[in-house]
Amino acid sequence: MSVPDRMLRVDLSAERVRSEPIPESWLARYVGGKGLGARYLYETPPGVDPSSPANRLAFLVGPLTGLLPGEPRYAAVTKSPLTGAFLDSYGGGSFAARLAGSLGDHLGVVIEGESDGPVALSVADGTATIESAADLSGLDTAETDARFPDAAVACVGPAGKAGVRYATIASDGGDHHAGRGGAGAVMGAKGLKAVVARDAAPTIPAALREHRERAEEAFADSDSGRWLAAGDTLETVAFGDETGVLPTRGWQTRRFDGAEGLGVAAATERAVGRERPDDPVPGGFRVAGERGKSESDDPADATATTVPRGGTPIALGAGLGIDDFDAVAALGGVCDRLGLDVISAGSAVAWAVRASDAGVIPPGDREVDDDLSFGDATAARRLIEDIAARSTPLGDALADGVAAAAARFGGTDLVPTVKGLELASYDPRGAATMALAFATGDRGGCHRRARPVETEAVADPRWTPTERAAVVADEQDRRAALWCLVGDDFLAESFGPDAAAEWLAALGDERDPTDLRALGERVWTLTRLYNLREGFDRSDDGLPEALTRATDGENEPDEAGDGLDPDAFEALLDRYYAYRGWDREGRPTAELLDRLDIGDLPDAATPVGSAAERPDAGRNDD
């Protein structure tokens, strides 16, 4: 078995599919997944409209996808319609594994152009075929998946077709999503209803079996593995509540009285199974879900389930003041079937409640129940359905994201966003280093790029500003490297560059572990260059105004007055830029690009920094 070294290129406008070799220098520098996706995206014209045929959408794997322990994943890479920035979003499950098996000697599919009507892309035996999908038009994600019983499917639901800017790409019938940033809206704009992986997942080659057994055992015995086995990501609800970082009722407070009923215990009580029951790390809890209009109405048919993950009870439970697990799981199931990111959808509803209470939405634009309020699951569901269909003025406005709705009506200080992406999971007013992780995320306010909150909120370390910057930057680099391979990001703690080099060597790809250590920093720098070229600057790494305000102190009277200090944050941002080798405006310097072997990369439209304009402290400073 050798490492794939080709890419499938699909032009939907010309109805053409071709296979081409990946440039050797690209493979050497970026490996696969996130890195290659960023490099192919950088080839698009500066300022391209995310919804235009010229934007690219890539479905990518890495050389170790389907071979590593943990959940198989694929990367969806494009320019985000929600943020206008670089977007890499990851989906797991059987589609990811079967895509890797269907691609043959290719690392992915790069799609551009636009179809005249709905189409599906069928991938098998190392090639792809464009097929009509007229019969799939209007189906939700579970219904679309059910049309391909012998294959694995990644598809868009009604939200993607309607161009909701945080529409997802759903796989495994809605169990998994490339969720954040709106890759589903790009897919919908291209007229691409589904990508269908026809072949089986790759088999573990003999050269890797021993590596696999050791890594799987190490992962299952790691802190992350044991945590996931016990409760998947639902445990974050209790963690956030106990440590005072749980965003509640539209980011007004950081603890939720109903948190106990939304976590692992509630899911365990209602579960009809786990996703991968035979694995050492068995995946999420399956609970009963709603069936679509084309599915069986037989009450004895128990196949309809939903898998609520940590983002669901946080964004749709605590975030909306709803303490009923079943109601929250049902809201998550609605988002899954419509193809909506639960985090952005929850933030949109929360913003609507707060904006309505504040009187910033004119009555004629609301067209929602007067009783829209925190704790009302029924009204929340109606608004989510309005958003997915863009069926009311308010739903249409919220379909463009919280930042766009706030720019239209007011209320920019109500629910925080970074680069237009709604924040997820943790309130950094309880762990200030998390604010830096959110602000500097290459796709916006994402908690998956770095999670210093998990150390800071528990241990309260007395980090210096440079140490805080290092914690964030180093974790961003580690995860970027893993996403080039492409692996389960929870594997990062137990799978480092030395192990990766061993695995790649067993496949015939001899790499120095030192280069793999530099991989994440190189790719993070590439995505920074892309965002700079698309018009982003230091101001887009700023602290959201909502986080400079104190929480209301409800349930936490000793913590009122805890808004983050903008001046202290700007000083911390200086340390982060210095540690990364960027100048004061957040531009990577020419010296850094040369060190990372990408000095020849920037085009004429990409700003590059000067070492003379760097802040005082750098990567090797005390």
Side-chain angles (χ1 to χ4, degrees):
M1 182 176 181
S2 60
V3 175
D5 59 0
R6 301 184 68 81
M7 188 67 65
L8 287 171
R9 302 294 300 272
V10 176
D11 186 334
L12 294 175
S13 298
E15 299 182 343
R16 182 178 65 235
V17 178
R18 71 183 191 275
S19 170
E20 66 179 24
I22 300 168
E24 289 185 11
S25 63
W26 291 17
L27 278 173
R29 293 172 181 170
Y30 309 115
V31 180
K34 176 174 182 142
L36 275 183
R39 189 63 186 85
Y40 277 97
L41 189 64
Y42 193 77
E43 294 294 299
T44 57
V48 66
D49 183 335
S51 298
S52 74
N55 190 19
R56 290 177 176 173
L57 171 63
F59 289 77
L60 298 157
V61 297
L64 300 181
T65 298
L67 306 178
L68 291 170
E71 184 174 72
R73 295 180 187 270
Y74 76 93
V77 176
T78 190
K79 183 178 184 180
S80 168
L82 182 64
T83 68
F86 170 79
L87 175 63
D88 57 327
S89 194
Y90 299 84
S94 66
F95 173 79
R98 294 188 67 170
L99 178 64
S102 300
L103 284 167
D105 59 351
H106 301 86
L107 278 168
V109 185
V110 177
I111 303 162
E112 52 199 322
E114 179 181 338
S115 173
D116 290 335
V119 296
L121 189 68
S122 180
V123 185
D125 297 324
T127 190
T129 305
I130 302 170
E131 302 172 347
S132 172
D135 60 328
L136 305 179
S137 183
L139 298 185
D140 69 26
T141 62
E143 292 163 347
T144 302
D145 184 84
R147 295 293 183 93
F148 299 92
D150 298 324
V153 178
C155 65
V156 294
K161 182 179 180 181
V164 177
R165 294 190 185 183
Y166 42 93
T168 69
I169 300 175
S171 54
D172 296 352
D175 285 351
H176 299 277
H177 295 261
R180 309 238 60 205
V186 175
M187 190 168 168
K190 292 187 175 300
L192 182 60
K193 176 65 175 178
V195 176
V196 185
R198 303 267 181 192
D199 295 334
T203 58
I204 307 297
L208 286 183
R209 286 174 191 158
E210 185 178 345
H211 292 289
R212 167 79 186 204
E213 290 173 3
R214 289 201 311 266
E216 191 168 56
E217 182 178 343
F219 181 48
D221 194 45
S222 69
D223 289 343
S224 290
R226 290 193 298 270
W227 175 72
L228 288 168
D232 196 57
T233 54
L234 287 173
E235 191 274 338
T236 53
V237 181
F239 169 82
D241 188 61
E242 291 167 4
T243 56
V245 297
L246 182 65
T248 299
R249 288 189 291 279
W251 295 79
Q252 294 183 90
T253 185
R254 297 190 279 106
R255 286 191 169 91
F256 182 45
D257 283 341
E260 184 177 350
L262 297 178
V264 176
T268 302
E269 179 182 334
R270 292 162 175 80
V272 297
R274 298 288 291 266
E275 284 186 284
R276 302 180 303 278
D278 297 328
D279 283 7
V281 181
F285 295 90
R286 291 193 176 279
V287 301
E290 297 180 8
R291 299 176 182 82
K293 58 181 179 293
S294 67
E295 294 178 286
S296 171
D297 292 324
D298 183 356
D301 179 4
T303 60
T305 60
T306 186
V307 183
R309 306 181 196 282
T312 299
I314 291 175
L316 302 176
L320 299 183
I322 301 170
D323 59 7
D324 182 324
F325 180 90
D326 294 323
V328 171
L331 286 176
V334 169
C335 290
D336 288 344
R337 299 184 74 107
L338 294 173
L340 278 176
D341 174 26
V342 296
I343 295 169
S344 289
S347 292
V349 176
W351 180 88
V353 175
R354 294 195 63 188
S356 295
D357 290 345
V360 302
I361 303 176
D365 287 309
R366 288 191 200 176
E367 291 196 17
V368 297
D369 295 337
D370 290 337
D371 63 350
L372 177 65
S373 61
F374 290 118
D376 188 341
T378 301
R381 175 171 181 155
R382 280 196 288 267
L383 183 52
I384 286 170
E385 291 171 341
D386 288 346
I387 291 169
R390 292 183 176 266
S391 58
T392 63
L394 180 58
D396 183 58
L398 291 173
D400 290 334
V402 165
R408 173 175 170 180
F409 296 117
T412 58
D413 61 340
L414 299 178
V415 172
T417 64
V418 169
K419 301 179 180 69
L421 185 67
E422 295 79 12
L423 303 195
S425 295
Y426 303 118
D427 190 324
R429 286 170 292 191
T433 305
M434 195 66 209
L436 181 65
F438 280 137
T440 58
D442 55 0
R443 69 175 184 179
C446 174
H447 69 296
R448 302 300 287 271
R449 271 39 186 171
R451 294 194 296 269
V453 60
E454 294 178 358
T455 300
E456 183 178 5
V458 175
D460 190 24
R462 304 304 180 187
W463 291 325
T464 66
T466 298
E467 288 170 332
R468 290 178 183 274
V471 165
V472 172
D474 290 348
E475 188 169 350
Q476 289 169 337
D477 290 349
R478 284 196 303 274
R479 294 186 184 280
L482 187 66
W483 290 332
C484 292
L485 290 174
V486 176
D488 185 333
D489 68 330
F490 291 106
L491 190 64
E493 292 83 356
S494 57
F495 192 84
D498 293 336
E502 285 185 25
W503 283 60
L504 290 172
L507 297 176
D509 184 351
E510 299 285 348
R511 288 180 183 267
D512 188 328
T514 302
D515 183 64
L516 289 173
R517 292 188 187 97
L519 172 63
E521 184 184 4
R522 181 182 301 119
V523 170
W524 193 266
T525 303
L526 167 56
T527 62
R528 182 66 178 189
L529 291 173
Y530 177 85
N531 285 344
L532 288 168
R533 190 189 72 174
E534 298 308 301
F536 289 83
D537 58 25
R538 179 179 180 126
S539 66
D540 296 294
D541 294 338
L543 188 67
E545 184 179 357
L547 299 183
T548 67
R549 298 174 180 271
T551 53
D552 64 11
E554 183 180 348
N555 299 325
E556 48 192 69
D558 296 331
E559 296 170 12
D562 57 356
L564 297 174
D565 181 350
D567 292 335
F569 177 82
E570 289 298 314
L572 181 58
L573 188 60
D574 276 339
R575 308 301 280 192
Y576 174 86
Y577 285 172
Y579 184 79
R580 281 217 168 273
W582 300 353
D583 70 9
R584 288 186 180 88
E585 298 305 313
R587 299 172 297 207
T589 63
E591 292 79 3
L592 171 66
L593 301 184
D594 288 340
R595 176 171 70 78
L596 295 175
D597 194 26
I598 51 174
D600 60 344
L601 173 66
D603 58 21
T606 303
V608 175
S610 166
E613 298 177 18
R614 283 184 60 195
D616 293 335
R619 183 171 287 262
N620 298 315
D621 294 331
D622 293 334

